[in-house]
Amino acid sequence: MMIAATTLCLALIASVPQDSRTLAPPETAAEGVRRVENRSLGCAFDLPADGEATVAGGTRNPQIRAIQRETNPPAWEIVVRRLELAPDPSAFGEGTARTPASVMDAFVRDADKGGLGLSALERREDLRFDGLPAARLTAELPHESGRTARFDWTFVQTGPSRFILVQYLADRDRWPEKTFAEVTASFEIKTETDLAIDSLNTVGFGKAILDRFDEDLLRKAVERLGDGVYFRLRGVESGTGREVELGYSRMVAMEAPRNAVVDTAAPNEAAGPESGLLVWVQVRILPPKPDAPFQDVDLRAWLSWDREEEWWTIRTTRRVRGSDASRTDAVTGIRPRPTPKDPRRWLQVISGGRESFEREDRVIDIPDLETYLSEAERLILPELLSLVDTDACEFSVYAWNEDRGLISLRREQWNPRGGTGSGELRSRPAQDSRPAIQQLGPDGVLQTRASPTDGGTGGVTWSRIDGKELRDLYLRKGIPFGG
């Protein structure tokens, strides 16, 4: 078994490979307690009062990294990651199964190959960590600063060949014993079986929800959205806390033919044998400064009434006001109707720029339609859930994930407000993502949407607003509207 010794170096400089799309600060679990969780990892713990955390790595390499935030460099670090080990081909028969102790030994052997000067101080092979079999090694490593780093590595077994590594790191002479002990006591780790059952349950709930999505329900959503709704996009400037205008958006749902997706002209409502649900979203993203380009996003998602076929496209155009120069990039998704000759379901995703010859074309197999959410349905999911009139529930469905460029398992948490049509939907585009929080008004239409922290804006808030009120607001602020 090979475990890269560079893990130790990364730990010393307080760096863990991260997927910036899933970076997340801890969420509040109860009054006075901040709970950090990675659902793909199946792990959660209480964050120390002086700590901050990121959840990273996606479903293939899920991790949690927590650090002490009040000093630079941090006074302590906690890293939790998965160790999935391939079976040893030379091992056969009884007594060859992986154990926390054998994994620990292999880890140390591999670390020693790096010649880092690691000194093992204490080892325990008879531990229980959150009730699971575990082994722990305490080691020291000299640092170029003249100080000595201390590591506590705990190897926790969650399945036959599945292990969690919990790493505590701090200065040996300033070891925060009480902090790490409290974190250890708060740990909750799910076994491989627990994760499998949880996934089956939430996907089962998702299937039950999607069973209610039929032509009648989709048409009711079109009626509910009426002539469309406007949203004001705002953020909070990092460092200053100042509220900034980021842009605005308009969303419309209508009955239209499939070719409305590829047409660049404004779609028109039209019924007919080839018609289906069209959700059209336009977004104007304001430039961060007057001479910077602004962006227009045109998203059109079409779904046949029987849900068997979908087309969608996202066009992003960057231009400078007062100039004819522009650049347009587009991503198109096509899920064709299955045929007797080709009964499988797949999504073809084509991306490229109008001014470039570069083009990417991928074909992705999709799960059964009973657990798959189309792009059009994803855009109006809060309204659809309000119409389904279901109880509070948590469910998972597969859907296209634009940020990661793949079909991922979404996690949705729906909390209706009894009989009013309103409610709250917490949407995670992947199991380990921080949720976008969507609030519905009493009319069953999206009222606000708060996305997770992103870049320097501290997250984006979408607030529903009357179109005339939005125009008047922008004019008062000296911000051009339209054009």
Side-chain angles (χ1 to χ4, degrees):
M1 177 185 67
M2 292 297 294
I3 302 176
T6 52
T7 302
L8 303 178
C9 298
L10 290 171
L12 274 176
I13 60 173
S15 174
V16 176
Q18 297 174 355
D19 179 349
S20 61
R21 292 168 297 212
T22 60
L23 289 178
E27 296 177 41
T28 301
E31 189 68 30
V33 177
R34 293 183 298 167
R35 192 82 173 160
V36 59
E37 178 181 15
N38 187 319
R39 296 191 178 209
S40 295
L41 192 62
C43 182
F45 58 86
D46 291 346
L47 193 68
D50 61 343
E52 60 184 12
T54 60
V55 176
T59 56
R60 293 184 179 180
N61 185 28
Q63 306 168 43
I64 299 174
R65 177 190 175 218
I67 61 172
Q68 194 264 357
R69 68 170 181 269
E70 296 176 358
T71 60
N72 187 19
W76 54 260
E77 179 190 69
I78 301 168
V79 175
V80 186
R81 64 185 182 90
R82 186 171 62 200
L83 296 176
E84 285 196 346
L85 313 172
D88 186 347
S90 65
F92 182 78
E94 294 292 332
T96 60
R98 302 286 190 196
T99 66
S102 68
V103 171
M104 178 172 64
D105 290 340
F107 188 92
V108 173
R109 285 196 303 271
D110 195 59
D112 284 342
K113 293 176 184 178
L116 299 176
L118 184 70
S119 299
L121 299 180
E122 181 185 7
R123 52 183 294 130
R124 294 279 306 276
E125 299 182 4
D126 57 347
L127 297 177
R128 307 293 289 184
F129 196 97
D130 190 31
L132 298 171
R136 178 179 300 140
L137 177 73
T138 299
E140 292 181 354
L141 192 66
H143 192 259
E144 61 184 12
S145 65
R147 296 160 66 183
T148 301
R150 172 179 163 178
F151 296 88
D152 270 10
W153 288 307
T154 303
F155 301 84
V156 186
Q157 187 164 16
T158 63
S161 295
R162 188 177 184 275
F163 294 80
I164 296 293
L165 171 61
V166 180
Q167 172 184 284
Y168 295 152
L169 167 64
D171 190 304
R172 178 194 60 188
D173 300 328
R174 300 175 179 84
W175 187 255
E177 186 73 39
K178 183 174 183 292
T179 294
F180 287 155
E182 290 174 349
V183 169
T184 298
S186 72
F187 254 92
E188 181 182 357
I189 299 177
K190 292 185 177 181
T191 65
E192 193 172 25
T193 301
D194 292 335
L195 289 173
I197 292 173
D198 179 64
S199 179
L200 285 173
N201 287 341
T202 58
V203 171
F205 288 138
K207 178 181 179 299
I209 294 291
L210 294 186
D211 280 345
R212 306 280 295 277
F213 288 10
D214 55 15
E215 180 177 350
D216 181 59
L217 190 77
L218 297 176
R219 288 185 179 277
K220 286 180 179 178
V222 171
E223 288 181 30
R224 178 164 287 187
L225 285 163
D227 295 329
V229 289
Y230 279 93
F231 296 95
R232 176 187 177 192
L233 279 58
R234 289 173 291 171
V236 177
E237 192 174 59
S238 179
T240 67
R242 182 175 64 91
E243 183 180 88
V244 292
E245 298 287 345
L246 300 177
Y248 57 92
S249 175
R250 179 173 181 255
M251 183 172 72
V252 183
M254 66 181 75
E255 180 176 10
R258 187 182 64 191
N259 61 12
V261 170
V262 296
D263 197 347
T264 56
N268 293 313
E269 192 162 3
E274 299 298 322
S275 70
L277 167 68
L278 177 70
V279 180
W280 182 30
V281 181
Q282 298 169 283
V283 184
R284 164 64 58 87
I285 302 174
L286 299 174
K289 49 187 179 180
D291 57 343
F294 62 89
Q295 298 183 48
D296 285 328
V297 180
D298 187 301
L299 191 165
R300 305 180 188 204
W302 181 90
L303 176 69
S304 60
W305 292 122
D306 60 6
R307 305 184 68 245
E308 293 284 348
E309 182 180 11
E310 70 170 314
W311 286 53
W312 50 262
T313 187
I314 306 171
R315 298 185 190 91
T316 303
T317 302
R318 299 167 181 83
R319 57 169 64 91
V320 177
R321 184 174 298 278
S323 170
D324 293 333
S326 66
R327 177 184 175 86
T328 299
D329 297 308
V331 180
T332 299
I334 302 170
R335 174 165 61 88
R337 183 178 296 274
T339 65
K341 289 185 177 180
D342 191 358
R344 71 190 180 106
R345 298 187 184 277
W346 47 270
L347 178 70
Q348 182 180 14
V349 180
I350 307 164
S351 59
R354 188 176 61 188
E355 294 78 15
S356 171
F357 292 105
E358 295 179 4
R359 171 188 166 106
E360 184 179 4
D361 193 337
R362 288 179 294 155
V363 174
I364 307 169
D365 287 324
I366 67 168
D368 189 278
L369 198 63
E370 293 179 334
T371 58
Y372 176 76
L373 186 75
S374 73
E375 186 72 0
E377 291 166 322
R378 183 189 67 82
L379 294 170
I380 58 171
L381 184 58
E383 287 81 7
L384 291 172
L385 290 173
S386 176
L387 287 164
V388 165
D389 192 25
T390 184
D391 294 333
C393 60
E394 190 166 5
F395 63 94
S396 294
V397 289
Y398 290 94
W400 169 251
N401 186 325
E402 178 186 348
D403 288 339
R404 299 187 180 181
L406 46 76
I407 292 174
S408 63
L409 187 63
R410 297 177 62 87
R411 191 90 168 203
E412 307 285 351
Q413 185 177 345
W414 169 239
N415 292 296
R417 297 192 178 92
T420 65
S422 65
E424 178 187 88
L425 178 64
R426 291 175 171 253
S427 295
R428 304 174 188 264
Q431 301 283 69
D432 58 351
S433 301
R434 193 181 179 206
I437 302 173
Q438 303 169 92
Q439 303 281 352
L440 271 73
D443 57 354
V445 176
L446 185 66
Q447 188 72 30
T448 63
R449 180 185 189 276
S451 69
T453 301
D454 183 16
T457 62
V460 180
T461 299
W462 298 52
S463 303
R464 193 164 127 203
I465 188 172
D466 177 76
K468 183 180 183 302
E469 183 182 347
L470 175 65
R471 181 186 294 273
D472 293 343
L473 173 71
Y474 268 37
L475 289 176
R476 287 198 305 272
K477 289 193 169 192
I479 302 173
F481 183 87

